[in-house]
Amino acid sequence: MTLPATADFVAFYDRYFTVVRATTAEQLDLAHCLRYQVYCVENRFEDASRHRDGREIDEDDDRAAHALLVHRPSGAAAGTVRVIMPLLDERRRPLPIERAVGPAMWRQHSAPPHLTAEVSRFAVSKSFRRRHGDGSYAEAGLSRLPADAATAERRFMPFITFGLLRAVLGICLEHGIVHLAAMMEPALLRLLFRLGLVFEPLGSLVEHHGWRQPCVARLADLTRRSREEASLLWHYANREIAEAGAARAASGGQRARRA
């Protein structure tokens, strides 16, 4: 698929999708319901019988920042992601990636534990994608769109995950995260590499909802390379990255003045 012009892409994406931080009870409920659809129904990564209320929730949600990708025309939640924050109090709860690879392998990477977060539950519903690929738009709220607009949006769908990636970068910057860890499918790693987001493997593939590659990256390296390559993702996400950085700098200045 040919990439659209940068300016056209950003305007087009913002026309059809928005990313919101899931902070209210209603937004978090939408995220958990969508995760149930993706992880328990569509892929059966998780046991649906353990989530009889139709919401996929686990022990790491209480220390995570969540985001939703919302389809503007319909108001439907198309995707979700969370960033699990470090928790290093007297109980020290390890990140899921550390539990998967083991403490010895985890210690081989140089990231300070209190500055390392993990991206997880990166999900876009297959049913949402199908509604945009098979010409059936009624459920997604697209039946009112002109035929040419519907066709344009359908061609645009391969880039739907850009909103979730932007949310991850923004969350990490706001919370002062230096290193980002993840358990990724090899195909996703290759996609991110093409977008200028390069993660370093941590050991070999492990079985975790299918074969996954544990990996880690410095947030500064991710944004620098994407910026240097002037990737389409950078042009889309740089505004939020700049705003998050400015907000954190302002917050730091306020703390210094209070001290």
Side-chain angles (χ1 to χ4, degrees):
M1 178 178 179
T2 302
L3 293 177
T6 299
D8 292 342
F9 174 84
V10 174
F12 195 81
Y13 198 103
D14 287 341
R15 177 182 176 185
Y16 288 104
F17 293 98
T18 186
V19 182
V20 298
R21 304 295 166 79
T23 57
T24 68
E26 181 181 8
Q27 290 167 336
L28 289 170
D29 192 59
L30 282 174
H32 294 144
C33 288
L34 182 58
R35 280 167 42 180
Y36 177 85
Q37 173 68 24
V38 173
Y39 280 82
C40 298
V41 178
E42 295 177 354
N43 295 289
R44 298 186 181 181
F45 290 147
E46 298 288 342
D47 184 356
S49 66
R50 297 179 58 189
H51 307 279
R52 296 187 181 277
D53 61 351
R55 290 156 178 81
E56 196 274 315
I57 302 173
D58 69 16
E59 67 274 13
D60 292 304
D61 279 319
D62 65 342
R63 54 161 168 169
H66 305 258
L68 284 168
L69 179 67
V70 179
H71 181 245
R72 288 184 187 272
S74 65
T80 187
V81 68
R82 69 177 178 180
V83 179
I84 304 174
M85 300 299 168
L87 184 60
L88 301 174
D89 59 12
E90 64 278 2
R91 293 172 292 117
R92 192 184 181 279
R93 288 164 55 190
L95 293 171
I97 188 172
E98 181 179 353
R99 299 197 295 265
V101 304
M105 176 62 70
W106 181 242
R107 284 194 295 269
Q108 292 184 19
H109 90 97
S110 59
H114 65 290
L115 298 177
T116 302
E118 180 174 347
V119 59
S120 101
R121 294 304 193 265
F122 190 99
V124 176
S125 170
K126 288 181 181 178
S127 62
F128 183 88
R129 288 183 180 273
R130 281 196 296 268
R131 289 197 296 269
H132 288 257
D134 61 8
S136 176
Y137 294 100
E139 292 181 51
L142 294 177
S143 57
R144 299 183 300 276
L145 292 175
D148 58 343
T151 299
E153 186 177 4
R154 189 160 57 245
R155 292 181 60 245
F156 177 74
M157 288 303 291
F159 306 102
I160 189 174
T161 56
F162 273 31
L164 296 177
L165 292 171
R166 185 179 76 174
V168 169
L169 294 175
I171 288 170
C172 289
L173 286 168
E174 287 179 11
H175 288 266
I177 295 300
V178 174
H179 287 78
L180 185 62
M183 302 277 288
M184 295 190 192
E185 293 180 272
L188 178 57
L189 275 177
R190 292 191 293 270
L191 170 63
L192 295 181
F193 181 86
R194 293 197 295 271
L195 296 174
L197 303 179
V198 181
F199 284 76
E200 296 182 5
L202 187 64
S204 56
L205 294 173
V206 298
E207 173 60 35
H208 181 76
H209 296 159
W211 289 104
R212 299 289 187 269
Q213 175 62 62
C215 52
V216 67
R218 290 183 68 246
L219 195 67
D221 292 339
L222 293 179
T223 56
R224 175 185 54 78
R225 177 163 178 166
S226 186
R227 180 179 65 249
E228 290 175 351
E229 295 183 2
S231 71
L232 194 62
L233 176 63
W234 169 257
H235 286 290
Y236 170 64
N238 72 82
R239 181 177 60 190
E240 178 160 338
I241 291 171
E243 290 175 353
R248 177 152 184 88
S251 175
Q254 292 172 358
R255 288 195 299 270
R257 285 192 295 272
R258 287 196 297 269

PDB file of all heavy atoms in Angstrom, residues 97-98 100-111 116 180-183 189 199-206 212-217:
ATOM      1  N   ILE A  97       7.153  -9.143  32.033  1.00  0.00           N
ATOM      2  CA  ILE A  97       8.267  -9.630  31.220  1.00  0.00           C
ATOM      3  C   ILE A  97       9.340 -10.276  32.093  1.00  0.00           C
ATOM      4  O   ILE A  97       9.954 -11.276  31.700  1.00  0.00           O
ATOM      5  CB  ILE A  97       8.868  -8.493  30.356  1.00  0.00           C
ATOM      6  CG1 ILE A  97       9.895  -9.060  29.371  1.00  0.00           C
ATOM      7  CG2 ILE A  97       9.467  -7.399  31.218  1.00  0.00           C
ATOM      8  CD1 ILE A  97      10.392  -8.034  28.369  1.00  0.00           C
ATOM      9  N   GLU A  98       9.565  -9.724  33.284  1.00  0.00           N
ATOM     10  CA  GLU A  98      10.550 -10.324  34.190  1.00  0.00           C
ATOM     11  C   GLU A  98      10.081 -11.688  34.663  1.00  0.00           C
ATOM     12  O   GLU A  98      10.879 -12.631  34.780  1.00  0.00           O
ATOM     13  CB  GLU A  98      10.796  -9.414  35.389  1.00  0.00           C
ATOM     14  CG  GLU A  98      11.828  -9.963  36.355  1.00  0.00           C
ATOM     15  CD  GLU A  98      12.093  -9.061  37.539  1.00  0.00           C
ATOM     16  OE1 GLU A  98      11.572  -7.926  37.548  1.00  0.00           O
ATOM     17  OE2 GLU A  98      12.813  -9.499  38.464  1.00  0.00           O
ATOM     18  N   ALA A 100       8.338 -13.659  32.938  1.00  0.00           N
ATOM     19  CA  ALA A 100       8.409 -14.568  31.791  1.00  0.00           C
ATOM     20  C   ALA A 100       9.836 -15.030  31.498  1.00  0.00           C
ATOM     21  O   ALA A 100      10.058 -16.200  31.183  1.00  0.00           O
ATOM     22  CB  ALA A 100       7.818 -13.894  30.555  1.00  0.00           C
ATOM     23  N   VAL A 101      10.802 -14.123  31.588  1.00  0.00           N
ATOM     24  CA  VAL A 101      12.182 -14.480  31.220  1.00  0.00           C
ATOM     25  C   VAL A 101      13.012 -14.917  32.419  1.00  0.00           C
ATOM     26  O   VAL A 101      14.061 -15.543  32.249  1.00  0.00           O
ATOM     27  CB  VAL A 101      12.883 -13.302  30.508  1.00  0.00           C
ATOM     28  CG1 VAL A 101      12.096 -12.865  29.292  1.00  0.00           C
ATOM     29  CG2 VAL A 101      13.093 -12.123  31.452  1.00  0.00           C
ATOM     30  N   GLY A 102      12.551 -14.584  33.616  1.00  0.00           N
ATOM     31  CA  GLY A 102      13.297 -14.944  34.808  1.00  0.00           C
ATOM     32  C   GLY A 102      14.199 -13.810  35.273  1.00  0.00           C
ATOM     33  O   GLY A 102      14.671 -13.003  34.464  1.00  0.00           O
ATOM     34  N   PRO A 103      14.452 -13.731  36.579  1.00  0.00           N
ATOM     35  CA  PRO A 103      15.244 -12.629  37.132  1.00  0.00           C
ATOM     36  C   PRO A 103      16.656 -12.539  36.559  1.00  0.00           C
ATOM     37  O   PRO A 103      17.172 -11.439  36.342  1.00  0.00           O
ATOM     38  CB  PRO A 103      15.276 -12.944  38.637  1.00  0.00           C
ATOM     39  CG  PRO A 103      14.082 -13.812  38.870  1.00  0.00           C
ATOM     40  CD  PRO A 103      13.929 -14.623  37.613  1.00  0.00           C
ATOM     41  N   ALA A 104      17.302 -13.683  36.314  1.00  0.00           N
ATOM     42  CA  ALA A 104      18.687 -13.654  35.827  1.00  0.00           C
ATOM     43  C   ALA A 104      18.769 -12.992  34.457  1.00  0.00           C
ATOM     44  O   ALA A 104      19.616 -12.130  34.221  1.00  0.00           O
ATOM     45  CB  ALA A 104      19.246 -15.078  35.776  1.00  0.00           C
ATOM     46  N   MET A 105      17.896 -13.384  33.534  1.00  0.00           N
ATOM     47  CA  MET A 105      17.895 -12.781  32.202  1.00  0.00           C
ATOM     48  C   MET A 105      17.491 -11.318  32.285  1.00  0.00           C
ATOM     49  O   MET A 105      18.056 -10.463  31.594  1.00  0.00           O
ATOM     50  CB  MET A 105      16.935 -13.543  31.287  1.00  0.00           C
ATOM     51  CG  MET A 105      16.787 -12.938  29.883  1.00  0.00           C
ATOM     52  SD  MET A 105      18.331 -12.934  28.939  1.00  0.00           S
ATOM     53  CE  MET A 105      18.522 -14.704  28.645  1.00  0.00           C
ATOM     54  N   TRP A 106      16.526 -11.005  33.135  1.00  0.00           N
ATOM     55  CA  TRP A 106      16.057  -9.624  33.246  1.00  0.00           C
ATOM     56  C   TRP A 106      17.173  -8.692  33.717  1.00  0.00           C
ATOM     57  O   TRP A 106      17.281  -7.555  33.270  1.00  0.00           O
ATOM     58  CB  TRP A 106      14.867  -9.558  34.197  1.00  0.00           C
ATOM     59  CG  TRP A 106      14.293  -8.189  34.363  1.00  0.00           C
ATOM     60  CD1 TRP A 106      14.231  -7.462  35.513  1.00  0.00           C
ATOM     61  CD2 TRP A 106      13.678  -7.372  33.359  1.00  0.00           C
ATOM     62  NE1 TRP A 106      13.625  -6.248  35.298  1.00  0.00           N
ATOM     63  CE2 TRP A 106      13.273  -6.173  33.977  1.00  0.00           C
ATOM     64  CE3 TRP A 106      13.432  -7.548  31.994  1.00  0.00           C
ATOM     65  CZ2 TRP A 106      12.646  -5.144  33.282  1.00  0.00           C
ATOM     66  CZ3 TRP A 106      12.805  -6.521  31.296  1.00  0.00           C
ATOM     67  CH2 TRP A 106      12.421  -5.335  31.936  1.00  0.00           C
ATOM     68  N   ARG A 107      18.035  -9.181  34.594  1.00  0.00           N
ATOM     69  CA  ARG A 107      19.112  -8.341  35.122  1.00  0.00           C
ATOM     70  C   ARG A 107      20.166  -8.028  34.070  1.00  0.00           C
ATOM     71  O   ARG A 107      20.995  -7.132  34.269  1.00  0.00           O
ATOM     72  CB  ARG A 107      19.771  -9.025  36.330  1.00  0.00           C
ATOM     73  CG  ARG A 107      18.931  -8.956  37.604  1.00  0.00           C
ATOM     74  CD  ARG A 107      19.756  -9.334  38.821  1.00  0.00           C
ATOM     75  NE  ARG A 107      20.172 -10.726  38.773  1.00  0.00           N
ATOM     76  CZ  ARG A 107      19.473 -11.731  39.291  1.00  0.00           C
ATOM     77  NH1 ARG A 107      18.315 -11.504  39.882  1.00  0.00           N
ATOM     78  NH2 ARG A 107      19.934 -12.971  39.228  1.00  0.00           N
ATOM     79  N   GLN A 108      20.160  -8.729  32.940  1.00  0.00           N
ATOM     80  CA  GLN A 108      21.163  -8.476  31.908  1.00  0.00           C
ATOM     81  C   GLN A 108      20.928  -7.165  31.166  1.00  0.00           C
ATOM     82  O   GLN A 108      21.831  -6.651  30.513  1.00  0.00           O
ATOM     83  CB  GLN A 108      21.188  -9.637  30.910  1.00  0.00           C
ATOM     84  CG  GLN A 108      21.711 -10.932  31.496  1.00  0.00           C
ATOM     85  CD  GLN A 108      21.804 -12.032  30.457  1.00  0.00           C
ATOM     86  OE1 GLN A 108      21.817 -11.782  29.257  1.00  0.00           O
ATOM     87  NE2 GLN A 108      21.864 -13.279  30.920  1.00  0.00           N
ATOM     88  N   HIS A 109      19.719  -6.648  31.215  1.00  0.00           N
ATOM     89  CA  HIS A 109      19.516  -5.361  30.559  1.00  0.00           C
ATOM     90  C   HIS A 109      19.801  -4.249  31.561  1.00  0.00           C
ATOM     91  O   HIS A 109      19.658  -4.411  32.776  1.00  0.00           O
ATOM     92  CB  HIS A 109      18.093  -5.265  29.974  1.00  0.00           C
ATOM     93  CG  HIS A 109      17.069  -4.705  30.890  1.00  0.00           C
ATOM     94  ND1 HIS A 109      16.686  -3.393  30.863  1.00  0.00           N
ATOM     95  CD2 HIS A 109      16.343  -5.278  31.869  1.00  0.00           C
ATOM     96  CE1 HIS A 109      15.762  -3.185  31.775  1.00  0.00           C
ATOM     97  NE2 HIS A 109      15.532  -4.313  32.403  1.00  0.00           N
ATOM     98  N   SER A 110      20.247  -3.112  31.057  1.00  0.00           N
ATOM     99  CA  SER A 110      20.831  -2.083  31.921  1.00  0.00           C
ATOM    100  C   SER A 110      19.834  -1.053  32.412  1.00  0.00           C
ATOM    101  O   SER A 110      20.225  -0.066  33.036  1.00  0.00           O
ATOM    102  CB  SER A 110      21.945  -1.352  31.154  1.00  0.00           C
ATOM    103  OG  SER A 110      21.427  -0.761  29.962  1.00  0.00           O
ATOM    104  N   ALA A 111      18.553  -1.220  32.134  1.00  0.00           N
ATOM    105  CA  ALA A 111      17.568  -0.206  32.510  1.00  0.00           C
ATOM    106  C   ALA A 111      17.342  -0.192  34.014  1.00  0.00           C
ATOM    107  O   ALA A 111      17.166  -1.238  34.637  1.00  0.00           O
ATOM    108  CB  ALA A 111      16.256  -0.474  31.791  1.00  0.00           C
ATOM    109  N   THR A 116      11.658   1.770  34.308  1.00  0.00           N
ATOM    110  CA  THR A 116      11.298   0.839  33.230  1.00  0.00           C
ATOM    111  C   THR A 116       9.832   0.450  33.341  1.00  0.00           C
ATOM    112  O   THR A 116       9.367   0.021  34.400  1.00  0.00           O
ATOM    113  CB  THR A 116      12.160  -0.437  33.301  1.00  0.00           C
ATOM    114  OG1 THR A 116      13.548  -0.079  33.225  1.00  0.00           O
ATOM    115  CG2 THR A 116      11.830  -1.362  32.142  1.00  0.00           C
ATOM    116  N   LEU A 180      11.477   1.071  27.900  1.00  0.00           N
ATOM    117  CA  LEU A 180      10.187   0.435  27.633  1.00  0.00           C
ATOM    118  C   LEU A 180      10.421  -1.020  27.255  1.00  0.00           C
ATOM    119  O   LEU A 180      11.194  -1.323  26.343  1.00  0.00           O
ATOM    120  CB  LEU A 180       9.466   1.158  26.494  1.00  0.00           C
ATOM    121  CG  LEU A 180       8.044   0.688  26.165  1.00  0.00           C
ATOM    122  CD1 LEU A 180       7.123   0.891  27.364  1.00  0.00           C
ATOM    123  CD2 LEU A 180       7.506   1.437  24.955  1.00  0.00           C
ATOM    124  N   ALA A 181       9.762  -1.916  27.970  1.00  0.00           N
ATOM    125  CA  ALA A 181       9.885  -3.356  27.711  1.00  0.00           C
ATOM    126  C   ALA A 181       8.595  -3.869  27.081  1.00  0.00           C
ATOM    127  O   ALA A 181       7.531  -3.252  27.207  1.00  0.00           O
ATOM    128  CB  ALA A 181      10.160  -4.102  29.013  1.00  0.00           C
ATOM    129  N   ALA A 182       8.697  -4.999  26.397  1.00  0.00           N
ATOM    130  CA  ALA A 182       7.522  -5.579  25.743  1.00  0.00           C
ATOM    131  C   ALA A 182       7.783  -7.036  25.408  1.00  0.00           C
ATOM    132  O   ALA A 182       8.931  -7.474  25.294  1.00  0.00           O
ATOM    133  CB  ALA A 182       7.174  -4.808  24.474  1.00  0.00           C
ATOM    134  N   MET A 183       6.677  -7.785  25.266  1.00  0.00           N
ATOM    135  CA  MET A 183       6.717  -9.165  24.754  1.00  0.00           C
ATOM    136  C   MET A 183       5.997  -9.115  23.418  1.00  0.00           C
ATOM    137  O   MET A 183       4.771  -9.005  23.375  1.00  0.00           O
ATOM    138  CB  MET A 183       6.001 -10.098  25.725  1.00  0.00           C
ATOM    139  CG  MET A 183       6.575 -10.104  27.131  1.00  0.00           C
ATOM    140  SD  MET A 183       7.998 -11.199  27.274  1.00  0.00           S
ATOM    141  CE  MET A 183       7.174 -12.777  27.176  1.00  0.00           C
ATOM    142  N   LEU A 189       7.551  -6.731  15.727  1.00  0.00           N
ATOM    143  CA  LEU A 189       8.880  -6.131  15.834  1.00  0.00           C
ATOM    144  C   LEU A 189       9.366  -5.632  14.474  1.00  0.00           C
ATOM    145  O   LEU A 189       9.956  -4.553  14.373  1.00  0.00           O
ATOM    146  CB  LEU A 189       9.868  -7.154  16.396  1.00  0.00           C
ATOM    147  CG  LEU A 189       9.950  -7.290  17.914  1.00  0.00           C
ATOM    148  CD1 LEU A 189      10.919  -8.403  18.282  1.00  0.00           C
ATOM    149  CD2 LEU A 189      10.360  -5.982  18.564  1.00  0.00           C
ATOM    150  N   PHE A 199      13.572  -2.132  18.931  1.00  0.00           N
ATOM    151  CA  PHE A 199      13.708  -2.753  20.246  1.00  0.00           C
ATOM    152  C   PHE A 199      14.823  -3.796  20.191  1.00  0.00           C
ATOM    153  O   PHE A 199      14.996  -4.484  19.184  1.00  0.00           O
ATOM    154  CB  PHE A 199      12.407  -3.433  20.659  1.00  0.00           C
ATOM    155  CG  PHE A 199      11.334  -2.493  21.115  1.00  0.00           C
ATOM    156  CD1 PHE A 199      10.604  -1.747  20.201  1.00  0.00           C
ATOM    157  CD2 PHE A 199      11.050  -2.354  22.461  1.00  0.00           C
ATOM    158  CE1 PHE A 199       9.613  -0.880  20.622  1.00  0.00           C
ATOM    159  CE2 PHE A 199      10.053  -1.485  22.897  1.00  0.00           C
ATOM    160  CZ  PHE A 199       9.338  -0.745  21.969  1.00  0.00           C
ATOM    161  N   GLU A 200      15.565  -3.921  21.292  1.00  0.00           N
ATOM    162  CA  GLU A 200      16.629  -4.915  21.375  1.00  0.00           C
ATOM    163  C   GLU A 200      16.096  -6.198  22.002  1.00  0.00           C
ATOM    164  O   GLU A 200      15.455  -6.148  23.059  1.00  0.00           O
ATOM    165  CB  GLU A 200      17.788  -4.376  22.223  1.00  0.00           C
ATOM    166  CG  GLU A 200      18.463  -3.158  21.626  1.00  0.00           C
ATOM    167  CD  GLU A 200      19.630  -2.691  22.479  1.00  0.00           C
ATOM    168  OE1 GLU A 200      19.946  -3.389  23.473  1.00  0.00           O
ATOM    169  OE2 GLU A 200      20.214  -1.653  22.150  1.00  0.00           O
ATOM    170  N   PRO A 201      16.349  -7.355  21.376  1.00  0.00           N
ATOM    171  CA  PRO A 201      15.896  -8.632  21.945  1.00  0.00           C
ATOM    172  C   PRO A 201      16.534  -8.886  23.305  1.00  0.00           C
ATOM    173  O   PRO A 201      17.690  -8.543  23.541  1.00  0.00           O
ATOM    174  CB  PRO A 201      16.356  -9.663  20.911  1.00  0.00           C
ATOM    175  CG  PRO A 201      16.568  -8.892  19.659  1.00  0.00           C
ATOM    176  CD  PRO A 201      17.033  -7.524  20.086  1.00  0.00           C
ATOM    177  N   LEU A 202      15.767  -9.498  24.167  1.00  0.00           N
ATOM    178  CA  LEU A 202      16.252  -9.889  25.487  1.00  0.00           C
ATOM    179  C   LEU A 202      16.105 -11.409  25.568  1.00  0.00           C
ATOM    180  O   LEU A 202      15.040 -11.928  25.905  1.00  0.00           O
ATOM    181  CB  LEU A 202      15.443  -9.192  26.589  1.00  0.00           C
ATOM    182  CG  LEU A 202      15.921  -9.370  28.029  1.00  0.00           C
ATOM    183  CD1 LEU A 202      17.303  -8.747  28.217  1.00  0.00           C
ATOM    184  CD2 LEU A 202      14.926  -8.743  28.992  1.00  0.00           C
ATOM    185  N   GLY A 203      17.180 -12.103  25.217  1.00  0.00           N
ATOM    186  CA  GLY A 203      17.109 -13.552  25.181  1.00  0.00           C
ATOM    187  C   GLY A 203      16.404 -14.037  23.925  1.00  0.00           C
ATOM    188  O   GLY A 203      16.277 -13.318  22.933  1.00  0.00           O
ATOM    189  N   SER A 204      15.900 -15.263  23.981  1.00  0.00           N
ATOM    190  CA  SER A 204      15.259 -15.886  22.828  1.00  0.00           C
ATOM    191  C   SER A 204      13.739 -15.826  22.966  1.00  0.00           C
ATOM    192  O   SER A 204      13.203 -15.329  23.956  1.00  0.00           O
ATOM    193  CB  SER A 204      15.727 -17.334  22.696  1.00  0.00           C
ATOM    194  OG  SER A 204      15.468 -18.047  23.897  1.00  0.00           O
ATOM    195  N   LEU A 205      13.046 -16.344  21.961  1.00  0.00           N
ATOM    196  CA  LEU A 205      11.594 -16.377  21.980  1.00  0.00           C
ATOM    197  C   LEU A 205      11.092 -17.207  23.162  1.00  0.00           C
ATOM    198  O   LEU A 205      11.707 -18.217  23.537  1.00  0.00           O
ATOM    199  CB  LEU A 205      11.060 -16.966  20.683  1.00  0.00           C
ATOM    200  CG  LEU A 205      11.298 -16.164  19.388  1.00  0.00           C
ATOM    201  CD1 LEU A 205      10.857 -16.981  18.187  1.00  0.00           C
ATOM    202  CD2 LEU A 205      10.549 -14.845  19.420  1.00  0.00           C
ATOM    203  N   VAL A 206       9.980 -16.786  23.728  1.00  0.00           N
ATOM    204  CA  VAL A 206       9.359 -17.542  24.807  1.00  0.00           C
ATOM    205  C   VAL A 206       7.885 -17.740  24.467  1.00  0.00           C
ATOM    206  O   VAL A 206       7.295 -16.984  23.689  1.00  0.00           O
ATOM    207  CB  VAL A 206       9.493 -16.822  26.164  1.00  0.00           C
ATOM    208  CG1 VAL A 206      10.944 -16.657  26.549  1.00  0.00           C
ATOM    209  CG2 VAL A 206       8.791 -15.470  26.142  1.00  0.00           C
ATOM    210  N   ARG A 212       6.660 -15.244  21.566  1.00  0.00           N
ATOM    211  CA  ARG A 212       6.908 -13.816  21.698  1.00  0.00           C
ATOM    212  C   ARG A 212       8.389 -13.561  21.954  1.00  0.00           C
ATOM    213  O   ARG A 212       9.072 -14.379  22.563  1.00  0.00           O
ATOM    214  CB  ARG A 212       6.094 -13.226  22.858  1.00  0.00           C
ATOM    215  CG  ARG A 212       4.591 -13.351  22.701  1.00  0.00           C
ATOM    216  CD  ARG A 212       4.049 -12.443  21.620  1.00  0.00           C
ATOM    217  NE  ARG A 212       2.598 -12.431  21.569  1.00  0.00           N
ATOM    218  CZ  ARG A 212       1.859 -13.233  20.820  1.00  0.00           C
ATOM    219  NH1 ARG A 212       2.457 -14.155  20.073  1.00  0.00           N
ATOM    220  NH2 ARG A 212       0.537 -13.140  20.813  1.00  0.00           N
ATOM    221  N   GLN A 213       8.833 -12.395  21.502  1.00  0.00           N
ATOM    222  CA  GLN A 213      10.213 -11.982  21.735  1.00  0.00           C
ATOM    223  C   GLN A 213      10.257 -10.953  22.867  1.00  0.00           C
ATOM    224  O   GLN A 213       9.746  -9.843  22.727  1.00  0.00           O
ATOM    225  CB  GLN A 213      10.800 -11.355  20.468  1.00  0.00           C
ATOM    226  CG  GLN A 213      12.206 -10.778  20.649  1.00  0.00           C
ATOM    227  CD  GLN A 213      13.221 -11.837  21.046  1.00  0.00           C
ATOM    228  OE1 GLN A 213      13.456 -12.776  20.285  1.00  0.00           O
ATOM    229  NE2 GLN A 213      13.807 -11.716  22.228  1.00  0.00           N
ATOM    230  N   PRO A 214      10.857 -11.301  24.001  1.00  0.00           N
ATOM    231  CA  PRO A 214      11.062 -10.284  25.030  1.00  0.00           C
ATOM    232  C   PRO A 214      12.057  -9.248  24.509  1.00  0.00           C
ATOM    233  O   PRO A 214      13.080  -9.603  23.906  1.00  0.00           O
ATOM    234  CB  PRO A 214      11.658 -11.074  26.205  1.00  0.00           C
ATOM    235  CG  PRO A 214      11.360 -12.514  25.901  1.00  0.00           C
ATOM    236  CD  PRO A 214      11.344 -12.623  24.425  1.00  0.00           C
ATOM    237  N   CYS A 215      11.767  -7.983  24.724  1.00  0.00           N
ATOM    238  CA  CYS A 215      12.649  -6.956  24.203  1.00  0.00           C
ATOM    239  C   CYS A 215      12.537  -5.698  25.045  1.00  0.00           C
ATOM    240  O   CYS A 215      11.607  -5.537  25.845  1.00  0.00           O
ATOM    241  CB  CYS A 215      12.344  -6.659  22.736  1.00  0.00           C
ATOM    242  SG  CYS A 215      10.616  -6.292  22.406  1.00  0.00           S
ATOM    243  N   VAL A 216      13.492  -4.797  24.845  1.00  0.00           N
ATOM    244  CA  VAL A 216      13.530  -3.554  25.619  1.00  0.00           C
ATOM    245  C   VAL A 216      14.168  -2.481  24.755  1.00  0.00           C
ATOM    246  O   VAL A 216      14.947  -2.770  23.844  1.00  0.00           O
ATOM    247  CB  VAL A 216      14.322  -3.772  26.936  1.00  0.00           C
ATOM    248  CG1 VAL A 216      15.783  -4.039  26.657  1.00  0.00           C
ATOM    249  CG2 VAL A 216      14.143  -2.601  27.880  1.00  0.00           C
ATOM    250  N   ALA A 217      13.817  -1.227  25.015  1.00  0.00           N
ATOM    251  CA  ALA A 217      14.388  -0.111  24.268  1.00  0.00           C
ATOM    252  C   ALA A 217      14.419   1.128  25.148  1.00  0.00           C
ATOM    253  O   ALA A 217      13.583   1.290  26.046  1.00  0.00           O
ATOM    254  CB  ALA A 217      13.569   0.165  23.006  1.00  0.00           C
TER     255      ALA A 217
END
